[in-house]
Amino acid sequence: MLRRMLAEGFGTFWLVFGGCGSAVLAAAFPHLGIGFAGVALAFGLTVLTMAYAVGHISGGHFNPAVTIGQCAGGLFPARHVLPYIGAQVIGGIAAGAVLYIVAGGAAGFDASASGFASNGYGEHSPGGYSLLACAIIELVLTAFFVLIINCVVSRQSLAAVAPIPIGLALTLIHLISIPVTNTSVNPARSTGVALFQGGWAIEQLWMFWLVPVVGAVIGGAISRALGALDERGHCDA
């Protein structure tokens, strides 16, 4: 379990540092900014690369919603859920801390004013979307993300390439929803930067825990109904 928790911590660190780092440091860089598409690709690449690196140790969740969704789908034991989530949150916060130090090396940087890649709704949504709109998109996208993951990892024939569709799915999710919520679908990612934004991001953090968790349970239930557990055979994670 210690090795699994370390793998989840390092994997979540890489996801938050790579994904949020691309948003904070490179998205709007003068004249050469990578924009929304670049940030979306960065998030997908973090999952793809770390899933190949440590997925054989922990399963490569890097996301409390994925852990809960796999449990709801019958693919992950309930007794391991809390240790995994603890490791993921610690990894996300550690990444936020390192990113905060790096970003703070630029003159005039202000995490509170810039948002620090935090997720938000209402006036703190990038596009000014309402709480209801933001909740719906986080719910739907998290449910589909978990559904895709569960159906892919349950097929042994796809084991060697599973990180590819999962990484592409996360890229697509970000392409859809960065303008709406700045894209969470991952409570550890939201927590890791919200703590350093320090204001409204912490006040709105509840939504980026509650809704992705509900979406994950829905996605897990759908994958079970579609037979993902039958493909896997048993819960042996």
Side-chain angles (χ1 to χ4, degrees):
M1 178 54 69
L2 178 59
R3 291 178 66 243
R4 293 181 180 189
M5 292 175 67
L6 287 172
E8 285 297 304
F10 285 124
T12 309
F13 179 100
W14 187 237
L15 185 152
V16 175
F17 188 73
C20 295
S22 70
V24 171
L25 304 175
F29 192 81
H31 311 300
L32 295 174
I34 61 175
F36 285 172
V39 173
L41 182 60
F43 272 100
L45 288 174
T46 61
V47 169
L48 188 155
T49 52
M50 285 305 289
Y52 271 123
V54 301
H56 65 290
I57 299 173
S58 67
H61 297 183
F62 318 140
N63 181 342
V66 172
T67 298
I68 291 168
Q70 289 220 324
C71 182
L75 300 172
F76 188 75
R79 68 182 182 277
H80 292 166
V81 168
L82 289 181
Y84 264 51
I85 291 176
Q88 292 155 358
V89 171
I90 291 171
I93 294 172
V98 174
L99 179 58
Y100 184 81
I101 294 170
V102 173
F109 172 74
D110 184 339
S112 178
S114 68
F116 200 54
S118 297
N119 302 115
Y121 56 80
E123 64 178 310
H124 301 297
S125 156
Y129 288 83
S130 68
L131 171 59
L132 178 61
C134 292
I136 289 173
I137 201 163
E138 288 288 331
L139 182 77
V140 171
L141 293 179
T142 307
F144 270 90
F145 190 40
V146 168
L147 172 63
I148 291 166
I149 291 172
N150 287 2
C151 289
V152 168
V153 302
S154 66
R155 298 170 62 185
Q156 295 300 321
S157 61
L158 296 179
V161 297
I164 297 174
I166 293 170
L168 289 174
L170 189 60
T171 300
L172 176 59
I173 284 168
H174 280 78
L175 288 173
I176 296 168
S177 60
I178 288 177
V180 185
T181 62
N182 222 13
T183 310
S184 174
V185 303
N186 184 339
R189 168 261 189 269
S190 298
T191 302
V193 290
L195 296 182
F196 295 93
Q197 194 281 332
W200 59 262
I202 296 176
E203 296 173 359
Q204 296 191 349
L205 185 59
W206 66 270
M207 202 277 276
F208 299 102
W209 271 90
L210 176 62
V211 175
V213 166
V214 173
V217 172
I218 293 171
I222 294 173
S223 69
R224 186 190 286 260
L226 291 176
L229 182 59
D230 296 334
E231 292 284 345
R232 180 73 168 267
H234 57 90
C235 179
D236 60 358

